[in-house]
Amino acid sequence: MAIGTIVLVHGAFADGSCWAQVIPLLTKRGLKAIAVQNPLSSLADDVTATHRVVNMQDGPVLMVGHSWGGAVITEAGNHPQVKGLVYVAAGAPDSGQSFDDWWKSYPPAPGASEIRPYGEGYVALTLKGVRKHFVQDIPVDEADIVFATQGPLAVKCFGDKITEAAWRSKLSWYVVAAHDETIPPDVERDSAKRMGAKTLVLESSHVPMLSQPDAIAEFIADAAASLHG
């Protein structure tokens, strides 16, 4: 029996609403889709939030992570109900690596300069950063909603280490965002290759689930159809 439940994990500077266009498209394909609301306070906290959602589902799931959410699913994906992992322009650290370790050897993306302090121990993207470097291929009014609903990220998150990389033991898929200005596309391509992931390259910004939701939904649905619980 193919996987029927999709657990969607958002990244930094976002919340579960970043999947709002993909969820109905998955529903039309007969899939149950549910989005995690990560506290973005630590890797462990986000893994706990993700496992809480998985535990509420009946049967096996396919887990999807965007951006920082890729690090979350890399750890949370070890859950026995998780049968596969889909990375959408996402971090994919190896065992013993942090998110910072994962991309430290690559030149910083243009959006890095627009990450600013947001209270003690947290950071957020500026409006300019969201419009120009995060979601530059969607209309400005939609970009401003992304800015307004973003979740500030605890700085410590990017230093938290993965215990065991789930992609080493579970089937993986990867969407490379060719015009990503938040995570360098080269690190995405190299990660997909290292993981042996089935890869889709989209001419998109860092958030293809907002700018090309049909392509993302189709990719996720195909992954789910190829897995068996």
Side-chain angles (χ1 to χ4, degrees), residues 8-20 35-38 40 66 134 145-146 148-151 209:
L8 302 160
V9 184
H10 69 82
F13 320 128
D15 73 352
S17 68
C18 69
W19 303 107
V36 176
Q37 294 288 1
N38 282 323
L40 302 175
H66 172 249
F134 199 65
I145 293 171
V146 174
T149 58
Q150 72 172 301
M209 65 279 199

mmCIF file with all atom_site columns, all heavy atoms in Angstrom, residues 8-20 35-38 40 66 134 145-146 148-151 209:
data_model
loop_
_atom_site.group_PDB
_atom_site.id
_atom_site.type_symbol
_atom_site.label_atom_id
_atom_site.label_alt_id
_atom_site.label_comp_id
_atom_site.label_asym_id
_atom_site.label_entity_id
_atom_site.label_seq_id
_atom_site.pdbx_PDB_ins_code
_atom_site.Cartn_x
_atom_site.Cartn_y
_atom_site.Cartn_z
_atom_site.occupancy
_atom_site.B_iso_or_equiv
_atom_site.pdbx_formal_charge
_atom_site.auth_seq_id
_atom_site.auth_comp_id
_atom_site.auth_asym_id
_atom_site.auth_atom_id
_atom_site.pdbx_PDB_model_num
ATOM 1   N N   . LEU A 1 8   ? 4.595  17.902 6.547  1.00 0.00 ? 8   LEU A N   1
ATOM 2   C CA  . LEU A 1 8   ? 5.321  19.023 5.960  1.00 0.00 ? 8   LEU A CA  1
ATOM 3   C C   . LEU A 1 8   ? 5.998  19.837 7.057  1.00 0.00 ? 8   LEU A C   1
ATOM 4   O O   . LEU A 1 8   ? 5.341  20.270 8.011  1.00 0.00 ? 8   LEU A O   1
ATOM 5   C CB  . LEU A 1 8   ? 4.347  19.910 5.180  1.00 0.00 ? 8   LEU A CB  1
ATOM 6   C CG  . LEU A 1 8   ? 3.571  19.191 4.055  1.00 0.00 ? 8   LEU A CG  1
ATOM 7   C CD1 . LEU A 1 8   ? 2.334  19.978 3.679  1.00 0.00 ? 8   LEU A CD1 1
ATOM 8   C CD2 . LEU A 1 8   ? 4.474  18.978 2.839  1.00 0.00 ? 8   LEU A CD2 1
ATOM 9   N N   . VAL A 1 9   ? 7.302  20.052 6.908  1.00 0.00 ? 9   VAL A N   1
ATOM 10  C CA  . VAL A 1 9   ? 8.102  20.697 7.957  1.00 0.00 ? 9   VAL A CA  1
ATOM 11  C C   . VAL A 1 9   ? 8.710  21.990 7.413  1.00 0.00 ? 9   VAL A C   1
ATOM 12  O O   . VAL A 1 9   ? 9.549  21.953 6.504  1.00 0.00 ? 9   VAL A O   1
ATOM 13  C CB  . VAL A 1 9   ? 9.210  19.751 8.470  1.00 0.00 ? 9   VAL A CB  1
ATOM 14  C CG1 . VAL A 1 9   ? 9.978  20.392 9.623  1.00 0.00 ? 9   VAL A CG1 1
ATOM 15  C CG2 . VAL A 1 9   ? 8.615  18.406 8.907  1.00 0.00 ? 9   VAL A CG2 1
ATOM 16  N N   . HIS A 1 10  ? 8.279  23.123 7.960  1.00 0.00 ? 10  HIS A N   1
ATOM 17  C CA  . HIS A 1 10  ? 8.782  24.418 7.489  1.00 0.00 ? 10  HIS A CA  1
ATOM 18  C C   . HIS A 1 10  ? 10.178 24.713 8.040  1.00 0.00 ? 10  HIS A C   1
ATOM 19  O O   . HIS A 1 10  ? 10.664 24.042 8.949  1.00 0.00 ? 10  HIS A O   1
ATOM 20  C CB  . HIS A 1 10  ? 7.808  25.543 7.853  1.00 0.00 ? 10  HIS A CB  1
ATOM 21  C CG  . HIS A 1 10  ? 7.735  25.843 9.325  1.00 0.00 ? 10  HIS A CG  1
ATOM 22  N ND1 . HIS A 1 10  ? 8.651  26.638 9.976  1.00 0.00 ? 10  HIS A ND1 1
ATOM 23  C CD2 . HIS A 1 10  ? 6.850  25.446 10.273 1.00 0.00 ? 10  HIS A CD2 1
ATOM 24  C CE1 . HIS A 1 10  ? 8.332  26.730 11.257 1.00 0.00 ? 10  HIS A CE1 1
ATOM 25  N NE2 . HIS A 1 10  ? 7.237  26.011 11.470 1.00 0.00 ? 10  HIS A NE2 1
ATOM 26  N N   . GLY A 1 11  ? 10.795 25.742 7.486  1.00 0.00 ? 11  GLY A N   1
ATOM 27  C CA  . GLY A 1 11  ? 12.132 26.122 7.916  1.00 0.00 ? 11  GLY A CA  1
ATOM 28  C C   . GLY A 1 11  ? 12.158 27.413 8.705  1.00 0.00 ? 11  GLY A C   1
ATOM 29  O O   . GLY A 1 11  ? 11.144 27.851 9.265  1.00 0.00 ? 11  GLY A O   1
ATOM 30  N N   . ALA A 1 12  ? 13.335 28.021 8.759  1.00 0.00 ? 12  ALA A N   1
ATOM 31  C CA  . ALA A 1 12  ? 13.520 29.298 9.450  1.00 0.00 ? 12  ALA A CA  1
ATOM 32  C C   . ALA A 1 12  ? 12.817 30.412 8.681  1.00 0.00 ? 12  ALA A C   1
ATOM 33  O O   . ALA A 1 12  ? 12.643 30.324 7.464  1.00 0.00 ? 12  ALA A O   1
ATOM 34  C CB  . ALA A 1 12  ? 15.007 29.610 9.562  1.00 0.00 ? 12  ALA A CB  1
ATOM 35  N N   . PHE A 1 13  ? 12.441 31.464 9.409  1.00 0.00 ? 13  PHE A N   1
ATOM 36  C CA  . PHE A 1 13  ? 11.816 32.636 8.804  1.00 0.00 ? 13  PHE A CA  1
ATOM 37  C C   . PHE A 1 13  ? 10.517 32.254 8.080  1.00 0.00 ? 13  PHE A C   1
ATOM 38  O O   . PHE A 1 13  ? 10.181 32.809 7.046  1.00 0.00 ? 13  PHE A O   1
ATOM 39  C CB  . PHE A 1 13  ? 12.782 33.353 7.858  1.00 0.00 ? 13  PHE A CB  1
ATOM 40  C CG  . PHE A 1 13  ? 14.195 33.420 8.363  1.00 0.00 ? 13  PHE A CG  1
ATOM 41  C CD1 . PHE A 1 13  ? 15.265 32.992 7.582  1.00 0.00 ? 13  PHE A CD1 1
ATOM 42  C CD2 . PHE A 1 13  ? 14.470 33.875 9.653  1.00 0.00 ? 13  PHE A CD2 1
ATOM 43  C CE1 . PHE A 1 13  ? 16.565 33.034 8.063  1.00 0.00 ? 13  PHE A CE1 1
ATOM 44  C CE2 . PHE A 1 13  ? 15.768 33.913 10.143 1.00 0.00 ? 13  PHE A CE2 1
ATOM 45  C CZ  . PHE A 1 13  ? 16.825 33.494 9.346  1.00 0.00 ? 13  PHE A CZ  1
ATOM 46  N N   . ALA A 1 14  ? 9.821  31.265 8.635  1.00 0.00 ? 14  ALA A N   1
ATOM 47  C CA  . ALA A 1 14  ? 8.587  30.764 8.023  1.00 0.00 ? 14  ALA A CA  1
ATOM 48  C C   . ALA A 1 14  ? 7.714  30.153 9.109  1.00 0.00 ? 14  ALA A C   1
ATOM 49  O O   . ALA A 1 14  ? 8.110  30.061 10.264 1.00 0.00 ? 14  ALA A O   1
ATOM 50  C CB  . ALA A 1 14  ? 8.917  29.724 6.952  1.00 0.00 ? 14  ALA A CB  1
ATOM 51  N N   . ASP A 1 15  ? 6.513  29.732 8.697  1.00 0.00 ? 15  ASP A N   1
ATOM 52  C CA  . ASP A 1 15  ? 5.674  28.904 9.559  1.00 0.00 ? 15  ASP A CA  1
ATOM 53  C C   . ASP A 1 15  ? 4.935  27.927 8.660  1.00 0.00 ? 15  ASP A C   1
ATOM 54  O O   . ASP A 1 15  ? 5.205  27.837 7.456  1.00 0.00 ? 15  ASP A O   1
ATOM 55  C CB  . ASP A 1 15  ? 4.742  29.753 10.433 1.00 0.00 ? 15  ASP A CB  1
ATOM 56  C CG  . ASP A 1 15  ? 3.587  30.385 9.675  1.00 0.00 ? 15  ASP A CG  1
ATOM 57  O OD1 . ASP A 1 15  ? 3.559  30.317 8.420  1.00 0.00 ? 15  ASP A OD1 1
ATOM 58  O OD2 . ASP A 1 15  ? 2.707  30.958 10.324 1.00 0.00 ? 15  ASP A OD2 1
ATOM 59  N N   . GLY A 1 16  ? 4.005  27.176 9.235  1.00 0.00 ? 16  GLY A N   1
ATOM 60  C CA  . GLY A 1 16  ? 3.336  26.139 8.465  1.00 0.00 ? 16  GLY A CA  1
ATOM 61  C C   . GLY A 1 16  ? 2.556  26.650 7.270  1.00 0.00 ? 16  GLY A C   1
ATOM 62  O O   . GLY A 1 16  ? 2.263  25.894 6.342  1.00 0.00 ? 16  GLY A O   1
ATOM 63  N N   . SER A 1 17  ? 2.230  27.955 7.263  1.00 0.00 ? 17  SER A N   1
ATOM 64  C CA  . SER A 1 17  ? 1.461  28.506 6.146  1.00 0.00 ? 17  SER A CA  1
ATOM 65  C C   . SER A 1 17  ? 2.254  28.536 4.838  1.00 0.00 ? 17  SER A C   1
ATOM 66  O O   . SER A 1 17  ? 1.664  28.754 3.776  1.00 0.00 ? 17  SER A O   1
ATOM 67  C CB  . SER A 1 17  ? 0.951  29.910 6.479  1.00 0.00 ? 17  SER A CB  1
ATOM 68  O OG  . SER A 1 17  ? 2.015  30.842 6.577  1.00 0.00 ? 17  SER A OG  1
ATOM 69  N N   . CYS A 1 18  ? 3.544  28.307 4.898  1.00 0.00 ? 18  CYS A N   1
ATOM 70  C CA  . CYS A 1 18  ? 4.331  28.282 3.651  1.00 0.00 ? 18  CYS A CA  1
ATOM 71  C C   . CYS A 1 18  ? 3.916  27.113 2.747  1.00 0.00 ? 18  CYS A C   1
ATOM 72  O O   . CYS A 1 18  ? 4.240  27.103 1.565  1.00 0.00 ? 18  CYS A O   1
ATOM 73  C CB  . CYS A 1 18  ? 5.831  28.241 3.934  1.00 0.00 ? 18  CYS A CB  1
ATOM 74  S SG  . CYS A 1 18  ? 6.440  26.701 4.647  1.00 0.00 ? 18  CYS A SG  1
ATOM 75  N N   . TRP A 1 19  ? 3.180  26.149 3.305  1.00 0.00 ? 19  TRP A N   1
ATOM 76  C CA  . TRP A 1 19  ? 2.695  25.000 2.526  1.00 0.00 ? 19  TRP A CA  1
ATOM 77  C C   . TRP A 1 19  ? 1.255  25.193 2.065  1.00 0.00 ? 19  TRP A C   1
ATOM 78  O O   . TRP A 1 19  ? 0.643  24.263 1.532  1.00 0.00 ? 19  TRP A O   1
ATOM 79  C CB  . TRP A 1 19  ? 2.785  23.732 3.365  1.00 0.00 ? 19  TRP A CB  1
ATOM 80  C CG  . TRP A 1 19  ? 4.159  23.427 3.870  1.00 0.00 ? 19  TRP A CG  1
ATOM 81  C CD1 . TRP A 1 19  ? 4.618  23.555 5.154  1.00 0.00 ? 19  TRP A CD1 1
ATOM 82  C CD2 . TRP A 1 19  ? 5.260  22.936 3.105  1.00 0.00 ? 19  TRP A CD2 1
ATOM 83  N NE1 . TRP A 1 19  ? 5.946  23.182 5.235  1.00 0.00 ? 19  TRP A NE1 1
ATOM 84  C CE2 . TRP A 1 19  ? 6.368  22.793 3.990  1.00 0.00 ? 19  TRP A CE2 1
ATOM 85  C CE3 . TRP A 1 19  ? 5.428  22.595 1.755  1.00 0.00 ? 19  TRP A CE3 1
ATOM 86  C CZ2 . TRP A 1 19  ? 7.610  22.331 3.574  1.00 0.00 ? 19  TRP A CZ2 1
ATOM 87  C CZ3 . TRP A 1 19  ? 6.670  22.138 1.337  1.00 0.00 ? 19  TRP A CZ3 1
ATOM 88  C CH2 . TRP A 1 19  ? 7.745  22.008 2.227  1.00 0.00 ? 19  TRP A CH2 1
ATOM 89  N N   . ALA A 1 20  ? 0.693  26.394 2.237  1.00 0.00 ? 20  ALA A N   1
ATOM 90  C CA  . ALA A 1 20  ? -0.737 26.609 2.005  1.00 0.00 ? 20  ALA A CA  1
ATOM 91  C C   . ALA A 1 20  ? -1.182 26.316 0.573  1.00 0.00 ? 20  ALA A C   1
ATOM 92  O O   . ALA A 1 20  ? -2.321 25.906 0.345  1.00 0.00 ? 20  ALA A O   1
ATOM 93  C CB  . ALA A 1 20  ? -1.114 28.051 2.376  1.00 0.00 ? 20  ALA A CB  1
ATOM 94  N N   . ALA A 1 35  ? 0.789  20.086 8.272  1.00 0.00 ? 35  ALA A N   1
ATOM 95  C CA  . ALA A 1 35  ? 1.994  20.893 8.472  1.00 0.00 ? 35  ALA A CA  1
ATOM 96  C C   . ALA A 1 35  ? 2.346  20.994 9.952  1.00 0.00 ? 35  ALA A C   1
ATOM 97  O O   . ALA A 1 35  ? 1.482  21.246 10.788 1.00 0.00 ? 35  ALA A O   1
ATOM 98  C CB  . ALA A 1 35  ? 1.799  22.292 7.889  1.00 0.00 ? 35  ALA A CB  1
ATOM 99  N N   . VAL A 1 36  ? 3.618  20.814 10.237 1.00 0.00 ? 36  VAL A N   1
ATOM 100 C CA  . VAL A 1 36  ? 4.166  21.011 11.585 1.00 0.00 ? 36  VAL A CA  1
ATOM 101 C C   . VAL A 1 36  ? 4.325  22.511 11.830 1.00 0.00 ? 36  VAL A C   1
ATOM 102 O O   . VAL A 1 36  ? 4.606  23.265 10.895 1.00 0.00 ? 36  VAL A O   1
ATOM 103 C CB  . VAL A 1 36  ? 5.531  20.309 11.696 1.00 0.00 ? 36  VAL A CB  1
ATOM 104 C CG1 . VAL A 1 36  ? 6.190  20.567 13.050 1.00 0.00 ? 36  VAL A CG1 1
ATOM 105 C CG2 . VAL A 1 36  ? 5.394  18.811 11.435 1.00 0.00 ? 36  VAL A CG2 1
ATOM 106 N N   . GLN A 1 37  ? 4.143  22.930 13.082 1.00 0.00 ? 37  GLN A N   1
ATOM 107 C CA  . GLN A 1 37  ? 4.482  24.302 13.479 1.00 0.00 ? 37  GLN A CA  1
ATOM 108 C C   . GLN A 1 37  ? 5.725  24.219 14.382 1.00 0.00 ? 37  GLN A C   1
ATOM 109 O O   . GLN A 1 37  ? 5.613  23.911 15.570 1.00 0.00 ? 37  GLN A O   1
ATOM 110 C CB  . GLN A 1 37  ? 3.317  24.962 14.223 1.00 0.00 ? 37  GLN A CB  1
ATOM 111 C CG  . GLN A 1 37  ? 2.089  25.203 13.373 1.00 0.00 ? 37  GLN A CG  1
ATOM 112 C CD  . GLN A 1 37  ? 2.250  26.324 12.356 1.00 0.00 ? 37  GLN A CD  1
ATOM 113 O OE1 . GLN A 1 37  ? 3.299  26.949 12.244 1.00 0.00 ? 37  GLN A OE1 1
ATOM 114 N NE2 . GLN A 1 37  ? 1.216  26.571 11.583 1.00 0.00 ? 37  GLN A NE2 1
ATOM 115 N N   . ASN A 1 38  ? 6.876  24.446 13.799 1.00 0.00 ? 38  ASN A N   1
ATOM 116 C CA  . ASN A 1 38  ? 8.119  24.373 14.570 1.00 0.00 ? 38  ASN A CA  1
ATOM 117 C C   . ASN A 1 38  ? 8.288  25.595 15.466 1.00 0.00 ? 38  ASN A C   1
ATOM 118 O O   . ASN A 1 38  ? 8.075  26.726 15.022 1.00 0.00 ? 38  ASN A O   1
ATOM 119 C CB  . ASN A 1 38  ? 9.330  24.315 13.624 1.00 0.00 ? 38  ASN A CB  1
ATOM 120 C CG  . ASN A 1 38  ? 9.538  22.943 13.039 1.00 0.00 ? 38  ASN A CG  1
ATOM 121 O OD1 . ASN A 1 38  ? 9.332  21.933 13.701 1.00 0.00 ? 38  ASN A OD1 1
ATOM 122 N ND2 . ASN A 1 38  ? 9.966  22.895 11.785 1.00 0.00 ? 38  ASN A ND2 1
ATOM 123 N N   . LEU A 1 40  ? 11.141 26.656 16.354 1.00 0.00 ? 40  LEU A N   1
ATOM 124 C CA  . LEU A 1 40  ? 12.395 27.266 15.884 1.00 0.00 ? 40  LEU A CA  1
ATOM 125 C C   . LEU A 1 40  ? 13.281 27.716 17.045 1.00 0.00 ? 40  LEU A C   1
ATOM 126 O O   . LEU A 1 40  ? 14.010 28.700 16.936 1.00 0.00 ? 40  LEU A O   1
ATOM 127 C CB  . LEU A 1 40  ? 12.107 28.454 14.941 1.00 0.00 ? 40  LEU A CB  1
ATOM 128 C CG  . LEU A 1 40  ? 11.266 28.125 13.693 1.00 0.00 ? 40  LEU A CG  1
ATOM 129 C CD1 . LEU A 1 40  ? 10.960 29.396 12.909 1.00 0.00 ? 40  LEU A CD1 1
ATOM 130 C CD2 . LEU A 1 40  ? 11.959 27.111 12.793 1.00 0.00 ? 40  LEU A CD2 1
ATOM 131 N N   . HIS A 1 66  ? 11.611 21.917 4.265  1.00 0.00 ? 66  HIS A N   1
ATOM 132 C CA  . HIS A 1 66  ? 12.104 23.062 3.504  1.00 0.00 ? 66  HIS A CA  1
ATOM 133 C C   . HIS A 1 66  ? 13.165 23.802 4.301  1.00 0.00 ? 66  HIS A C   1
ATOM 134 O O   . HIS A 1 66  ? 12.991 24.052 5.497  1.00 0.00 ? 66  HIS A O   1
ATOM 135 C CB  . HIS A 1 66  ? 10.953 24.025 3.176  1.00 0.00 ? 66  HIS A CB  1
ATOM 136 C CG  . HIS A 1 66  ? 11.416 25.312 2.562  1.00 0.00 ? 66  HIS A CG  1
ATOM 137 N ND1 . HIS A 1 66  ? 11.339 26.532 3.217  1.00 0.00 ? 66  HIS A ND1 1
ATOM 138 C CD2 . HIS A 1 66  ? 11.994 25.563 1.358  1.00 0.00 ? 66  HIS A CD2 1
ATOM 139 C CE1 . HIS A 1 66  ? 11.829 27.474 2.428  1.00 0.00 ? 66  HIS A CE1 1
ATOM 140 N NE2 . HIS A 1 66  ? 12.232 26.916 1.300  1.00 0.00 ? 66  HIS A NE2 1
ATOM 141 N N   . PHE A 1 134 ? 14.455 35.935 -0.678 1.00 0.00 ? 134 PHE A N   1
ATOM 142 C CA  . PHE A 1 134 ? 13.771 34.762 -0.125 1.00 0.00 ? 134 PHE A CA  1
ATOM 143 C C   . PHE A 1 134 ? 12.663 34.291 -1.073 1.00 0.00 ? 134 PHE A C   1
ATOM 144 O O   . PHE A 1 134 ? 12.590 33.128 -1.430 1.00 0.00 ? 134 PHE A O   1
ATOM 145 C CB  . PHE A 1 134 ? 13.188 35.135 1.249  1.00 0.00 ? 134 PHE A CB  1
ATOM 146 C CG  . PHE A 1 134 ? 12.844 33.978 2.147  1.00 0.00 ? 134 PHE A CG  1
ATOM 147 C CD1 . PHE A 1 134 ? 13.819 33.131 2.642  1.00 0.00 ? 134 PHE A CD1 1
ATOM 148 C CD2 . PHE A 1 134 ? 11.526 33.757 2.544  1.00 0.00 ? 134 PHE A CD2 1
ATOM 149 C CE1 . PHE A 1 134 ? 13.500 32.082 3.495  1.00 0.00 ? 134 PHE A CE1 1
ATOM 150 C CE2 . PHE A 1 134 ? 11.195 32.715 3.400  1.00 0.00 ? 134 PHE A CE2 1
ATOM 151 C CZ  . PHE A 1 134 ? 12.183 31.871 3.878  1.00 0.00 ? 134 PHE A CZ  1
ATOM 152 N N   . ILE A 1 145 ? 3.207  38.955 2.975  1.00 0.00 ? 145 ILE A N   1
ATOM 153 C CA  . ILE A 1 145 ? 2.569  38.020 3.905  1.00 0.00 ? 145 ILE A CA  1
ATOM 154 C C   . ILE A 1 145 ? 3.614  37.062 4.474  1.00 0.00 ? 145 ILE A C   1
ATOM 155 O O   . ILE A 1 145 ? 3.609  36.754 5.676  1.00 0.00 ? 145 ILE A O   1
ATOM 156 C CB  . ILE A 1 145 ? 1.432  37.241 3.213  1.00 0.00 ? 145 ILE A CB  1
ATOM 157 C CG1 . ILE A 1 145 ? 0.285  38.189 2.853  1.00 0.00 ? 145 ILE A CG1 1
ATOM 158 C CG2 . ILE A 1 145 ? 0.928  36.109 4.109  1.00 0.00 ? 145 ILE A CG2 1
ATOM 159 C CD1 . ILE A 1 145 ? -0.782 37.566 1.979  1.00 0.00 ? 145 ILE A CD1 1
ATOM 160 N N   . VAL A 1 146 ? 4.521  36.614 3.633  1.00 0.00 ? 146 VAL A N   1
ATOM 161 C CA  . VAL A 1 146 ? 5.616  35.751 4.094  1.00 0.00 ? 146 VAL A CA  1
ATOM 162 C C   . VAL A 1 146 ? 6.438  36.466 5.162  1.00 0.00 ? 146 VAL A C   1
ATOM 163 O O   . VAL A 1 146 ? 6.789  35.897 6.193  1.00 0.00 ? 146 VAL A O   1
ATOM 164 C CB  . VAL A 1 146 ? 6.504  35.316 2.915  1.00 0.00 ? 146 VAL A CB  1
ATOM 165 C CG1 . VAL A 1 146 ? 7.730  34.547 3.405  1.00 0.00 ? 146 VAL A CG1 1
ATOM 166 C CG2 . VAL A 1 146 ? 5.705  34.467 1.928  1.00 0.00 ? 146 VAL A CG2 1
ATOM 167 N N   . ALA A 1 148 ? 5.414  38.894 7.135  1.00 0.00 ? 148 ALA A N   1
ATOM 168 C CA  . ALA A 1 148 ? 4.600  39.120 8.336  1.00 0.00 ? 148 ALA A CA  1
ATOM 169 C C   . ALA A 1 148 ? 4.384  37.848 9.150  1.00 0.00 ? 148 ALA A C   1
ATOM 170 O O   . ALA A 1 148 ? 4.180  37.919 10.364 1.00 0.00 ? 148 ALA A O   1
ATOM 171 C CB  . ALA A 1 148 ? 3.251  39.712 7.940  1.00 0.00 ? 148 ALA A CB  1
ATOM 172 N N   . THR A 1 149 ? 4.412  36.691 8.502  1.00 0.00 ? 149 THR A N   1
ATOM 173 C CA  . THR A 1 149 ? 4.132  35.428 9.203  1.00 0.00 ? 149 THR A CA  1
ATOM 174 C C   . THR A 1 149 ? 5.395  34.649 9.538  1.00 0.00 ? 149 THR A C   1
ATOM 175 O O   . THR A 1 149 ? 5.306  33.546 10.062 1.00 0.00 ? 149 THR A O   1
ATOM 176 C CB  . THR A 1 149 ? 3.216  34.523 8.362  1.00 0.00 ? 149 THR A CB  1
ATOM 177 O OG1 . THR A 1 149 ? 3.822  34.262 7.091  1.00 0.00 ? 149 THR A OG1 1
ATOM 178 C CG2 . THR A 1 149 ? 1.853  35.159 8.154  1.00 0.00 ? 149 THR A CG2 1
ATOM 179 N N   . GLN A 1 150 ? 6.558  35.224 9.262  1.00 0.00 ? 150 GLN A N   1
ATOM 180 C CA  . GLN A 1 150 ? 7.796  34.478 9.511  1.00 0.00 ? 150 GLN A CA  1
ATOM 181 C C   . GLN A 1 150 ? 7.985  34.177 10.996 1.00 0.00 ? 150 GLN A C   1
ATOM 182 O O   . GLN A 1 150 ? 7.578  34.946 11.870 1.00 0.00 ? 150 GLN A O   1
ATOM 183 C CB  . GLN A 1 150 ? 9.015  35.240 8.982  1.00 0.00 ? 150 GLN A CB  1
ATOM 184 C CG  . GLN A 1 150 ? 9.407  36.469 9.765  1.00 0.00 ? 150 GLN A CG  1
ATOM 185 C CD  . GLN A 1 150 ? 10.737 37.056 9.290  1.00 0.00 ? 150 GLN A CD  1
ATOM 186 O OE1 . GLN A 1 150 ? 11.778 36.415 9.312  1.00 0.00 ? 150 GLN A OE1 1
ATOM 187 N NE2 . GLN A 1 150 ? 10.678 38.311 8.828  1.00 0.00 ? 150 GLN A NE2 1
ATOM 188 N N   . GLY A 1 151 ? 8.622  33.044 11.268 1.00 0.00 ? 151 GLY A N   1
ATOM 189 C CA  . GLY A 1 151 ? 9.000  32.703 12.630 1.00 0.00 ? 151 GLY A CA  1
ATOM 190 C C   . GLY A 1 151 ? 10.457 33.041 12.858 1.00 0.00 ? 151 GLY A C   1
ATOM 191 O O   . GLY A 1 151 ? 11.333 32.502 12.172 1.00 0.00 ? 151 GLY A O   1
ATOM 192 N N   . MET A 1 209 ? 7.691  26.047 -3.229 1.00 0.00 ? 209 MET A N   1
ATOM 193 C CA  . MET A 1 209 ? 6.333  25.616 -2.856 1.00 0.00 ? 209 MET A CA  1
ATOM 194 C C   . MET A 1 209 ? 5.341  26.767 -2.922 1.00 0.00 ? 209 MET A C   1
ATOM 195 O O   . MET A 1 209 ? 4.128  26.544 -2.981 1.00 0.00 ? 209 MET A O   1
ATOM 196 C CB  . MET A 1 209 ? 6.318  24.951 -1.468 1.00 0.00 ? 209 MET A CB  1
ATOM 197 C CG  . MET A 1 209 ? 6.677  25.848 -0.329 1.00 0.00 ? 209 MET A CG  1
ATOM 198 S SD  . MET A 1 209 ? 8.454  26.031 -0.174 1.00 0.00 ? 209 MET A SD  1
ATOM 199 C CE  . MET A 1 209 ? 8.511  26.608 1.530  1.00 0.00 ? 209 MET A CE  1
#
